[in-house]
Amino acid sequence: RVIGFGGRVIDDSQPKYLNSPETPLFNKSYHLYNLHRARKAIRQKQQAVLFEGYVDVITAWHAGVTNGVASLGTSLTEDQARLLRRNAESVVICYDADSAGEEATLRGLDILKSQGCSVKVAQLPDGTDPDEYIKTYGGEAFRQNILAAAVPLTAFKLQALQKGVDVNDEDQRNQ
């Protein structure tokens, strides 16, 4: 049953995404895009792949990633994390490889952890998103090089802390 609509431009127009307004039936904070189709695969694999937007989910679905859902471009909420935890023990966050995606990933890690999820982070090459990666390298490369190589929560946080730090400089390393 349709609860809302979303659209994305195919050029550089703004706004990039345009969604239905929030209503009693459609509140982006409470829903995960594609959960109705991905639920069976998520439960079988006991793992969900969390994307930023629906275009990434659609492209990943066509590439064989049937356990993907999206937080609809919003920061992940506790309600969405609870939905994920009800269906799987493990979540792989696969947000865009830009500063906004990294910040959203760091926030999402803690929210998912607070709901009892085991969390990993799939890391894309800088400046790319899952849709671009799959279109450029293919679904098999995405599944093997990105999803299968996802790093645990602690390793991702350590990598994030090390950015911009010269680990050979003792003062910076101690800081």
Side-chain angles (χ1 to χ4, degrees), residues 10 12 22 31 46 49 57 66 73 77 81 86 91 105 111 130 148 154:
I10 54 174
D12 292 331
E22 304 247 331
H31 299 286
Q46 274 302 296
V49 179
V57 173
T66 57
T77 66
R86 265 188 259 151
V91 177
T105 297
I111 292 169
T154 307

Side-chain angles (χ1 to χ4, degrees), residues 97-119:
D98 56 18
S99 58
E102 185 176 318
E103 288 173 25
T105 297
L106 287 167
R107 286 190 307 270
L109 289 170
D110 293 329
I111 292 169
L112 288 164
K113 197 70 179 161
S114 74
Q115 295 302 317
C117 294
S118 168
V119 188

Side-chain angles (χ1 to χ4, degrees), residues 90-149:
S90 175
V91 177
V92 176
I93 297 178
C94 189
Y95 284 174
D96 298 357
D98 56 18
S99 58
E102 185 176 318
E103 288 173 25
T105 297
L106 287 167
R107 286 190 307 270
L109 289 170
D110 293 329
I111 292 169
L112 288 164
K113 197 70 179 161
S114 74
Q115 295 302 317
C117 294
S118 168
V119 188
K120 290 185 176 181
V121 179
Q123 296 179 294
L124 294 157
D126 285 343
T128 62
D129 63 34
D131 174 60
E132 287 176 78
Y133 188 92
I134 293 167
K135 287 178 178 173
T136 303
Y137 301 104
E140 182 65 25
F142 180 73
R143 288 189 305 276
Q144 295 303 315
N145 301 337
I146 304 300
L147 295 181

